[in-house]
Every structure is written in structure tokens, then in C-alpha cells.
Amino acid sequence: MVSGSAIATLVVFILSIICVIYPFSLPILLPYLGRKRIHINLTTAPIIAILVLWAAQCLGARNIRDGIVGTDGVKPYNILILFFSLAYMAITLDITGVLQAAAFWVSNKGGNNGWKLFLYFYMMLTALSVVLGNDPVILSGTAFLVYYTKVNELNPIAWLMSEFAAANTASMVLFVGNPTNVVICEGFRVNNAAFTAYTILPFLACIIVCFIALAAQFHKSEYLPRRLNVAGDLDVRAVLLDPRGAWVGSLLLGSCLTVIIIVSFFHVDVWEISLPFAAAKFFYDVAWDHYRYVHKIPMLGQARAKKSDENLSEVGDDIVLRQLRRHRTGIPPEEPSSTNENQRAVTSDSNAPLQVERPPFHKTTSPLLFLVKPYVTYQNYKHAFSAHFPTLYTAFPRLPFALVPFAFSQFILIEGLAHQGWIDIFARWLVAASGRQMYPTIWLVGVLGVVLCNISGTNIGATILLTKVVRAASISAPPDTDVNLEAFNRSAAIALAVSSNIGAVSFTFSASLAGLLWRQILNQKGIFIRQRTFAWWNLAPLVVMTGVGLAVVCAEMAVLY
């Protein structure tokens, strides 16, 4: 019998998911601050759900602790430390301009051939996403493609949708490419190097059929013109803001990934490897920024910044736009005058107090007047910090801090479902549907993974839930069963690895954090893609990748077992 507490837990869990997919805000009236809005979204909805369930005694302190520390070999803190370590190294590498430089190089190779450029950009984004993961590529690649299509007067939808599909599909290759991969490796005890061996063939099949589907639906010249009007090559070095930082960042990130794969055979927690490399990169960034500041060596192009505390990403975007306009018209971009450049350059007086306009209070007797001085002081410190440590100033806001409360909340909520018996119920349903047989398990888990990415918040929540369900189905098997449990677990793990990554190429933006980030960047750049449009253009790539990817997994498991 299902208890009332169990039903309440499931209902609250579903409501939190709905709030993640369709966020909203509520107006409240606060003393002195006036009318404010409380946002119920990806960050707040799961936390509110936990508080409600805790108050209703549907979950206890032990469940919350298990959701943070982990159970069944899955350690949430391990996953988050690993993810943030690699994210910091990838983002600071992107800040050097290396991704924009790669895009310029590919653009020069493609010339004025629209289809060749489309293919080359797709291949470049795929290769970068394999190494860096999807988030850094989404951050840098989306802004570049917006500028590129705008300057060349192209319809951006084909280029942006192909970028999104390539970046998310390629993240299935390395176990560090996506937090869901780490959940799978730890939950199913899959060796990190073996994970790549299992996913490389499904990835190749998916990435090829995805391009075919994209090319078929965007074949008209209104989306992909045969010829582009370009007047010359792009200057690759112009957007490489920090060549030395690019070399150091590439070396550290490459070394980190190599060491992680090697030590995976010795059962070492991966965060123990990634964290020291990220710390080394952090100390290098601090030392190198300080050295440039003391010796008045600005990053290339930083002297063109409109203000000395401008984000380096904005500086890079400005240089990209200037070069693309020259690429389009053939007219060299105007260089700022020496007088203005000297005024804008980062020099020894960059830490002079910034003259900040006071907040516009309606009355001089406002009770908030005491906030003016702290506000001005904060702006002065912000100005000095951005001048002294531009890399850190740019990198920290780009780190996915929203992932921390969301990931822990998902683990805790699913621990609550397990505590109320829902995981065992779902496991029995899976056993009844698949009989713990290999091929039905692959298709059931794979298709469910894609569907749940859309309706369970994000692919992280879907992966955690299905990992728990499959493990429960395996544990509940009687000792004398003739079912090959190793084949059952391994086939489910690889099917879930494929579906949790291609599931991000889906019908809702919230199917992945990359989707939410992608939409946010586009909205900031003035491009608004409706949910219906997003789902329509993703339909064909998702269907063919699901069918072909899971078919390849079936072939792999047939050979292995």
C-alpha cells in the first residue's frame, strides 16, 4: 500500500519539476525595500520542495544528509568538485580567446562556401565540446555565431541549432563532459576510460546522423545560402587575447584529463585529481594578472575597452565584431586614436577611485540613504579588482553556481522518493517491462531517459532517478536468477549515457543547464526563440539520434555479452 506521505512526496517532487520547466515569480511587499518579486525557478523550487517535505516529516535529516554525502557509491560532492574544477579551467581557457581564434581559423578555411562553412563549424564545435564539455562551448560559440550571422546577414536559426546539437551530443564522449556522465560512472561503477570506449561508437553514429538531419531540414537557401559575401580572411591572432595564457591553460587542462583517465584504473576519486590542477590554474591566473598589472602589460585588445573594468568577454566580443565587419566589407577596422587608447588602457592608475553615480533615491531623507556610501565603496573595489585581476573578474560570473543548490536538491528529493518506497516501485515496473533482458532494457532506459530529460527538470535529475531505479531493479533480483545482471547493468548504464546527453537536444530548454544558458545568451543578444520553434527544429535530430544511438549500443552489448 502507498501511504499518504509517499503520495505527498511524489506530488511535491512533480510540482518542483513543473516550476523548473515553467519558472514564475510572486510579488511581495517588504519594509523599506518596497514591492519585490520572489522567483520560483531552477534554483529555488527544489529547495522550497525540500523544506515543505521536511516540515511535513515526509523526509528526515538522514535523507538530507544522504543526498549531500551520497549513497550507493554516488558522491554528489565528488561530482560538483570535479565539474567546477574542469569548468574553471575551460572557462579561463576560453577567456584567452582560443575558441574565437579557432572559429576564425575555421571561417577562413570555409571561405565563402555556405555549406562548407556549416560543416566546418559543426566539426569544430563537436571537437571542442569533446574536450571542453558543452557549457564553455555554448558560452563562447553562441555569442560568436550571433555576431557572425548578423554581420553576414544570415538566418541564425540553422547555425544556432546545429551548434546546440553538436555541443550537447559531443559531451557524451568523456565521462567529464557532462555531470550526468559522472553520475553514471559512479552509480554503475563504470571505469572512466571504459566509459569512453563504450560511448565513442554511439557518439560517432549520433553526430553523423544528427548532421544529416540538420542538413536536410535546413537545406533551403533561406537558411544556408550557397555563397557568402566575404572580402578577405579573418585575423586569427586578433582575437587571441592572451597567447601565453592559452598555452598554459591548454597544457593544464589536457594534462588533467590525461591523468584522470590513467588513475581511473586505480579507483581514485576524480576530484582529488581535478582540484589540484584547477588550483594550479587559479594561482597561475592570479600571478599572471598581477604581473601584467605591475608591468603595465594589458591583454591584447584590452586597451580598446570602453572602460577599464569592462568584462574581458565584452572586450573579446568587440574585437570579434570589428574583425567580422572587416571580413564582410574588406575595409580595415578603425583603430582608436592614441589619445583615447592611452585613456582607456589599463595602466598604473587603474585602481584610482571610480566616480560612481549615486543611486537615484526619490527623497534625500530616504531610510536607504545610508546605503549610498557602501554602494560607492563596492563599485570602487569592483573597479580596482577588474583592473588588477581581469581573468578572475571575467571567469567567476560565468561559473555555473546555480548547479550547486540544484544538484544537491535533486539528490535529496530522490532520496526522499527512495525513503517513501517510490524507487522500489519504479524498479518493479522496469523489471516487469524488461524482464531484466538486455535489449528491452536498452530501449526502455534509453527512451525513458530522453523523455525524462524533458519532464524531470533537467537531464541531471533524470539521470539520478534512472540510476537509482536500475540499481534497485538489479539488487532485487533473486540469487538463483539466470539473468546476466552484469549485462543488465552495463547495457542500462550505456543507454542512459547516450540518452542523457542527446536528451538535452530536446523539446524544452530546461532539459539541460546548457539549454537554459543558451536561451539566456540569445535573449541578451536580442534573439528570441520560442519553445515551439526550439522543439520543432530539434525533433528530427533527436529522433534519429535516439534510434541510431541505441541501436549501436545494442550492437556493442551483443558483441560483449
PDB file of all heavy atoms in Angstrom, residues 138-139 142 397-398 402 509 513-529:
ATOM      1  N   ILE A 138      29.075  26.405 -25.468  1.00  0.00           N
ATOM      2  CA  ILE A 138      27.822  27.154 -25.587  1.00  0.00           C
ATOM      3  C   ILE A 138      28.059  28.621 -25.252  1.00  0.00           C
ATOM      4  O   ILE A 138      27.561  29.532 -25.939  1.00  0.00           O
ATOM      5  CB  ILE A 138      26.749  26.557 -24.660  1.00  0.00           C
ATOM      6  CG1 ILE A 138      26.309  25.170 -25.150  1.00  0.00           C
ATOM      7  CG2 ILE A 138      25.548  27.493 -24.542  1.00  0.00           C
ATOM      8  CD1 ILE A 138      25.541  25.174 -26.438  1.00  0.00           C
ATOM      9  N   LEU A 139      28.822  28.892 -24.198  1.00  0.00           N
ATOM     10  CA  LEU A 139      29.099  30.268 -23.785  1.00  0.00           C
ATOM     11  C   LEU A 139      29.766  31.066 -24.888  1.00  0.00           C
ATOM     12  O   LEU A 139      29.357  32.180 -25.214  1.00  0.00           O
ATOM     13  CB  LEU A 139      29.985  30.266 -22.537  1.00  0.00           C
ATOM     14  CG  LEU A 139      29.303  30.141 -21.182  1.00  0.00           C
ATOM     15  CD1 LEU A 139      30.334  29.869 -20.099  1.00  0.00           C
ATOM     16  CD2 LEU A 139      28.519  31.400 -20.853  1.00  0.00           C
ATOM     17  N   THR A 142      27.975  30.464 -28.964  1.00  0.00           N
ATOM     18  CA  THR A 142      26.684  31.098 -29.241  1.00  0.00           C
ATOM     19  C   THR A 142      26.856  32.576 -29.564  1.00  0.00           C
ATOM     20  O   THR A 142      26.287  33.088 -30.541  1.00  0.00           O
ATOM     21  CB  THR A 142      25.741  30.937 -28.030  1.00  0.00           C
ATOM     22  OG1 THR A 142      25.608  29.558 -27.725  1.00  0.00           O
ATOM     23  CG2 THR A 142      24.381  31.526 -28.332  1.00  0.00           C
ATOM     24  N   PRO A 397      31.845  35.107 -12.706  1.00  0.00           N
ATOM     25  CA  PRO A 397      30.406  35.185 -13.021  1.00  0.00           C
ATOM     26  C   PRO A 397      29.940  34.113 -14.006  1.00  0.00           C
ATOM     27  O   PRO A 397      28.741  33.827 -14.075  1.00  0.00           O
ATOM     28  CB  PRO A 397      30.258  36.591 -13.627  1.00  0.00           C
ATOM     29  CG  PRO A 397      31.439  37.358 -13.129  1.00  0.00           C
ATOM     30  CD  PRO A 397      32.545  36.365 -13.042  1.00  0.00           C
ATOM     31  N   ARG A 398      30.866  33.529 -14.754  1.00  0.00           N
ATOM     32  CA  ARG A 398      30.483  32.534 -15.750  1.00  0.00           C
ATOM     33  C   ARG A 398      30.438  31.111 -15.188  1.00  0.00           C
ATOM     34  O   ARG A 398      29.975  30.195 -15.866  1.00  0.00           O
ATOM     35  CB  ARG A 398      31.453  32.584 -16.938  1.00  0.00           C
ATOM     36  CG  ARG A 398      31.379  33.892 -17.709  1.00  0.00           C
ATOM     37  CD  ARG A 398      32.430  33.999 -18.797  1.00  0.00           C
ATOM     38  NE  ARG A 398      32.269  32.993 -19.816  1.00  0.00           N
ATOM     39  CZ  ARG A 398      33.015  32.922 -20.921  1.00  0.00           C
ATOM     40  NH1 ARG A 398      33.968  33.827 -21.117  1.00  0.00           N
ATOM     41  NH2 ARG A 398      32.826  31.970 -21.805  1.00  0.00           N
ATOM     42  N   ALA A 402      24.612  28.101 -10.039  1.00  0.00           N
ATOM     43  CA  ALA A 402      23.238  27.617  -9.842  1.00  0.00           C
ATOM     44  C   ALA A 402      23.172  26.096  -9.801  1.00  0.00           C
ATOM     45  O   ALA A 402      22.205  25.525  -9.287  1.00  0.00           O
ATOM     46  CB  ALA A 402      22.337  28.141 -10.957  1.00  0.00           C
ATOM     47  N   PHE A 509      13.775  23.892 -23.072  1.00  0.00           N
ATOM     48  CA  PHE A 509      15.075  24.491 -22.773  1.00  0.00           C
ATOM     49  C   PHE A 509      15.644  23.933 -21.476  1.00  0.00           C
ATOM     50  O   PHE A 509      16.857  23.816 -21.320  1.00  0.00           O
ATOM     51  CB  PHE A 509      14.939  26.011 -22.663  1.00  0.00           C
ATOM     52  CG  PHE A 509      14.599  26.693 -23.954  1.00  0.00           C
ATOM     53  CD1 PHE A 509      13.331  27.248 -24.151  1.00  0.00           C
ATOM     54  CD2 PHE A 509      15.519  26.795 -24.975  1.00  0.00           C
ATOM     55  CE1 PHE A 509      13.007  27.885 -25.328  1.00  0.00           C
ATOM     56  CE2 PHE A 509      15.212  27.423 -26.173  1.00  0.00           C
ATOM     57  CZ  PHE A 509      13.946  27.973 -26.349  1.00  0.00           C
ATOM     58  N   LEU A 513      21.093  22.243 -18.303  1.00  0.00           N
ATOM     59  CA  LEU A 513      21.561  23.572 -17.915  1.00  0.00           C
ATOM     60  C   LEU A 513      22.122  24.310 -19.125  1.00  0.00           C
ATOM     61  O   LEU A 513      22.026  25.533 -19.208  1.00  0.00           O
ATOM     62  CB  LEU A 513      22.622  23.453 -16.825  1.00  0.00           C
ATOM     63  CG  LEU A 513      22.127  22.912 -15.481  1.00  0.00           C
ATOM     64  CD1 LEU A 513      23.291  22.744 -14.520  1.00  0.00           C
ATOM     65  CD2 LEU A 513      21.077  23.832 -14.877  1.00  0.00           C
ATOM     66  N   ALA A 514      22.704  23.570 -20.068  1.00  0.00           N
ATOM     67  CA  ALA A 514      23.216  24.197 -21.291  1.00  0.00           C
ATOM     68  C   ALA A 514      22.093  24.846 -22.088  1.00  0.00           C
ATOM     69  O   ALA A 514      22.280  25.907 -22.697  1.00  0.00           O
ATOM     70  CB  ALA A 514      23.945  23.157 -22.145  1.00  0.00           C
ATOM     71  N   GLY A 515      20.911  24.233 -22.091  1.00  0.00           N
ATOM     72  CA  GLY A 515      19.777  24.813 -22.800  1.00  0.00           C
ATOM     73  C   GLY A 515      19.323  26.119 -22.191  1.00  0.00           C
ATOM     74  O   GLY A 515      19.021  27.088 -22.898  1.00  0.00           O
ATOM     75  N   LEU A 516      19.273  26.173 -20.857  1.00  0.00           N
ATOM     76  CA  LEU A 516      18.909  27.413 -20.175  1.00  0.00           C
ATOM     77  C   LEU A 516      19.952  28.492 -20.420  1.00  0.00           C
ATOM     78  O   LEU A 516      19.610  29.659 -20.627  1.00  0.00           O
ATOM     79  CB  LEU A 516      18.760  27.145 -18.677  1.00  0.00           C
ATOM     80  CG  LEU A 516      17.651  26.167 -18.286  1.00  0.00           C
ATOM     81  CD1 LEU A 516      17.733  25.828 -16.803  1.00  0.00           C
ATOM     82  CD2 LEU A 516      16.280  26.749 -18.624  1.00  0.00           C
ATOM     83  N   LEU A 517      21.224  28.112 -20.402  1.00  0.00           N
ATOM     84  CA  LEU A 517      22.300  29.066 -20.663  1.00  0.00           C
ATOM     85  C   LEU A 517      22.242  29.571 -22.096  1.00  0.00           C
ATOM     86  O   LEU A 517      22.410  30.777 -22.358  1.00  0.00           O
ATOM     87  CB  LEU A 517      23.644  28.388 -20.383  1.00  0.00           C
ATOM     88  CG  LEU A 517      24.910  29.197 -20.633  1.00  0.00           C
ATOM     89  CD1 LEU A 517      24.990  30.387 -19.691  1.00  0.00           C
ATOM     90  CD2 LEU A 517      26.149  28.315 -20.461  1.00  0.00           C
ATOM     91  N   TRP A 518      21.980  28.683 -23.033  1.00  0.00           N
ATOM     92  CA  TRP A 518      21.895  29.018 -24.455  1.00  0.00           C
ATOM     93  C   TRP A 518      20.782  30.038 -24.703  1.00  0.00           C
ATOM     94  O   TRP A 518      20.990  31.041 -25.387  1.00  0.00           O
ATOM     95  CB  TRP A 518      21.633  27.729 -25.222  1.00  0.00           C
ATOM     96  CG  TRP A 518      21.630  27.801 -26.708  1.00  0.00           C
ATOM     97  CD1 TRP A 518      22.705  27.926 -27.542  1.00  0.00           C
ATOM     98  CD2 TRP A 518      20.477  27.715 -27.570  1.00  0.00           C
ATOM     99  NE1 TRP A 518      22.302  27.912 -28.855  1.00  0.00           N
ATOM    100  CE2 TRP A 518      20.942  27.796 -28.898  1.00  0.00           C
ATOM    101  CE3 TRP A 518      19.112  27.568 -27.330  1.00  0.00           C
ATOM    102  CZ2 TRP A 518      20.072  27.729 -29.985  1.00  0.00           C
ATOM    103  CZ3 TRP A 518      18.257  27.514 -28.403  1.00  0.00           C
ATOM    104  CH2 TRP A 518      18.731  27.590 -29.720  1.00  0.00           C
ATOM    105  N   ARG A 519      19.616  29.795 -24.121  1.00  0.00           N
ATOM    106  CA  ARG A 519      18.497  30.728 -24.304  1.00  0.00           C
ATOM    107  C   ARG A 519      18.806  32.086 -23.661  1.00  0.00           C
ATOM    108  O   ARG A 519      18.478  33.132 -24.229  1.00  0.00           O
ATOM    109  CB  ARG A 519      17.223  30.142 -23.686  1.00  0.00           C
ATOM    110  CG  ARG A 519      16.010  31.054 -23.850  1.00  0.00           C
ATOM    111  CD  ARG A 519      14.762  30.447 -23.278  1.00  0.00           C
ATOM    112  NE  ARG A 519      14.861  30.223 -21.842  1.00  0.00           N
ATOM    113  CZ  ARG A 519      13.845  29.819 -21.086  1.00  0.00           C
ATOM    114  NH1 ARG A 519      12.666  29.566 -21.635  1.00  0.00           N
ATOM    115  NH2 ARG A 519      14.005  29.639 -19.795  1.00  0.00           N
ATOM    116  N   GLN A 520      19.444  32.067 -22.489  1.00  0.00           N
ATOM    117  CA  GLN A 520      19.777  33.320 -21.819  1.00  0.00           C
ATOM    118  C   GLN A 520      20.724  34.167 -22.661  1.00  0.00           C
ATOM    119  O   GLN A 520      20.536  35.387 -22.797  1.00  0.00           O
ATOM    120  CB  GLN A 520      20.418  33.019 -20.459  1.00  0.00           C
ATOM    121  CG  GLN A 520      20.839  34.258 -19.682  1.00  0.00           C
ATOM    122  CD  GLN A 520      21.552  33.908 -18.387  1.00  0.00           C
ATOM    123  OE1 GLN A 520      21.671  32.727 -18.026  1.00  0.00           O
ATOM    124  NE2 GLN A 520      22.040  34.897 -17.689  1.00  0.00           N
ATOM    125  N   ILE A 521      21.738  33.550 -23.256  1.00  0.00           N
ATOM    126  CA  ILE A 521      22.686  34.291 -24.098  1.00  0.00           C
ATOM    127  C   ILE A 521      21.970  34.875 -25.309  1.00  0.00           C
ATOM    128  O   ILE A 521      22.185  36.037 -25.673  1.00  0.00           O
ATOM    129  CB  ILE A 521      23.839  33.370 -24.541  1.00  0.00           C
ATOM    130  CG1 ILE A 521      24.661  32.931 -23.331  1.00  0.00           C
ATOM    131  CG2 ILE A 521      24.739  34.081 -25.549  1.00  0.00           C
ATOM    132  CD1 ILE A 521      25.699  31.875 -23.653  1.00  0.00           C
ATOM    133  N   LEU A 522      21.116  34.088 -25.950  1.00  0.00           N
ATOM    134  CA  LEU A 522      20.394  34.572 -27.129  1.00  0.00           C
ATOM    135  C   LEU A 522      19.481  35.739 -26.777  1.00  0.00           C
ATOM    136  O   LEU A 522      19.392  36.724 -27.530  1.00  0.00           O
ATOM    137  CB  LEU A 522      19.589  33.440 -27.751  1.00  0.00           C
ATOM    138  CG  LEU A 522      20.391  32.309 -28.404  1.00  0.00           C
ATOM    139  CD1 LEU A 522      19.457  31.271 -29.003  1.00  0.00           C
ATOM    140  CD2 LEU A 522      21.329  32.857 -29.478  1.00  0.00           C
ATOM    141  N   ASN A 523      18.791  35.650 -25.643  1.00  0.00           N
ATOM    142  CA  ASN A 523      17.919  36.751 -25.230  1.00  0.00           C
ATOM    143  C   ASN A 523      18.720  38.023 -24.984  1.00  0.00           C
ATOM    144  O   ASN A 523      18.279  39.124 -25.321  1.00  0.00           O
ATOM    145  CB  ASN A 523      17.148  36.369 -23.971  1.00  0.00           C
ATOM    146  CG  ASN A 523      16.101  35.303 -24.235  1.00  0.00           C
ATOM    147  OD1 ASN A 523      15.774  34.997 -25.375  1.00  0.00           O
ATOM    148  ND2 ASN A 523      15.575  34.721 -23.175  1.00  0.00           N
ATOM    149  N   GLN A 524      19.913  37.883 -24.397  1.00  0.00           N
ATOM    150  CA  GLN A 524      20.766  39.045 -24.162  1.00  0.00           C
ATOM    151  C   GLN A 524      21.229  39.671 -25.471  1.00  0.00           C
ATOM    152  O   GLN A 524      21.448  40.881 -25.543  1.00  0.00           O
ATOM    153  CB  GLN A 524      21.979  38.636 -23.321  1.00  0.00           C
ATOM    154  CG  GLN A 524      21.643  38.281 -21.873  1.00  0.00           C
ATOM    155  CD  GLN A 524      22.829  37.698 -21.139  1.00  0.00           C
ATOM    156  OE1 GLN A 524      23.864  37.390 -21.729  1.00  0.00           O
ATOM    157  NE2 GLN A 524      22.680  37.540 -19.828  1.00  0.00           N
ATOM    158  N   LYS A 525      21.371  38.836 -26.515  1.00  0.00           N
ATOM    159  CA  LYS A 525      21.810  39.331 -27.823  1.00  0.00           C
ATOM    160  C   LYS A 525      20.644  39.759 -28.711  1.00  0.00           C
ATOM    161  O   LYS A 525      20.844  40.130 -29.868  1.00  0.00           O
ATOM    162  CB  LYS A 525      22.620  38.249 -28.550  1.00  0.00           C
ATOM    163  CG  LYS A 525      23.822  37.730 -27.779  1.00  0.00           C
ATOM    164  CD  LYS A 525      24.854  38.804 -27.527  1.00  0.00           C
ATOM    165  CE  LYS A 525      26.051  38.234 -26.789  1.00  0.00           C
ATOM    166  NZ  LYS A 525      27.046  39.278 -26.435  1.00  0.00           N
ATOM    167  N   GLY A 526      19.431  39.717 -28.174  1.00  0.00           N
ATOM    168  CA  GLY A 526      18.274  40.186 -28.936  1.00  0.00           C
ATOM    169  C   GLY A 526      17.658  39.147 -29.848  1.00  0.00           C
ATOM    170  O   GLY A 526      16.888  39.489 -30.749  1.00  0.00           O
ATOM    171  N   ILE A 527      17.963  37.859 -29.641  1.00  0.00           N
ATOM    172  CA  ILE A 527      17.370  36.784 -30.441  1.00  0.00           C
ATOM    173  C   ILE A 527      16.465  35.965 -29.525  1.00  0.00           C
ATOM    174  O   ILE A 527      16.922  35.406 -28.532  1.00  0.00           O
ATOM    175  CB  ILE A 527      18.449  35.891 -31.080  1.00  0.00           C
ATOM    176  CG1 ILE A 527      19.281  36.695 -32.074  1.00  0.00           C
ATOM    177  CG2 ILE A 527      17.821  34.686 -31.773  1.00  0.00           C
ATOM    178  CD1 ILE A 527      20.387  35.901 -32.742  1.00  0.00           C
ATOM    179  N   PHE A 528      15.190  35.888 -29.863  1.00  0.00           N
ATOM    180  CA  PHE A 528      14.218  35.199 -29.020  1.00  0.00           C
ATOM    181  C   PHE A 528      13.642  34.013 -29.793  1.00  0.00           C
ATOM    182  O   PHE A 528      12.963  34.193 -30.806  1.00  0.00           O
ATOM    183  CB  PHE A 528      13.108  36.161 -28.589  1.00  0.00           C
ATOM    184  CG  PHE A 528      13.619  37.350 -27.830  1.00  0.00           C
ATOM    185  CD1 PHE A 528      13.914  38.544 -28.494  1.00  0.00           C
ATOM    186  CD2 PHE A 528      13.834  37.285 -26.463  1.00  0.00           C
ATOM    187  CE1 PHE A 528      14.392  39.645 -27.799  1.00  0.00           C
ATOM    188  CE2 PHE A 528      14.309  38.370 -25.763  1.00  0.00           C
ATOM    189  CZ  PHE A 528      14.593  39.555 -26.430  1.00  0.00           C
ATOM    190  N   ILE A 529      13.952  32.815 -29.317  1.00  0.00           N
ATOM    191  CA  ILE A 529      13.476  31.586 -29.944  1.00  0.00           C
ATOM    192  C   ILE A 529      12.380  30.996 -29.062  1.00  0.00           C
ATOM    193  O   ILE A 529      12.602  30.726 -27.882  1.00  0.00           O
ATOM    194  CB  ILE A 529      14.631  30.579 -30.130  1.00  0.00           C
ATOM    195  CG1 ILE A 529      15.668  31.150 -31.102  1.00  0.00           C
ATOM    196  CG2 ILE A 529      14.100  29.249 -30.654  1.00  0.00           C
ATOM    197  CD1 ILE A 529      16.852  30.230 -31.343  1.00  0.00           C
TER     198      ILE A 529
END
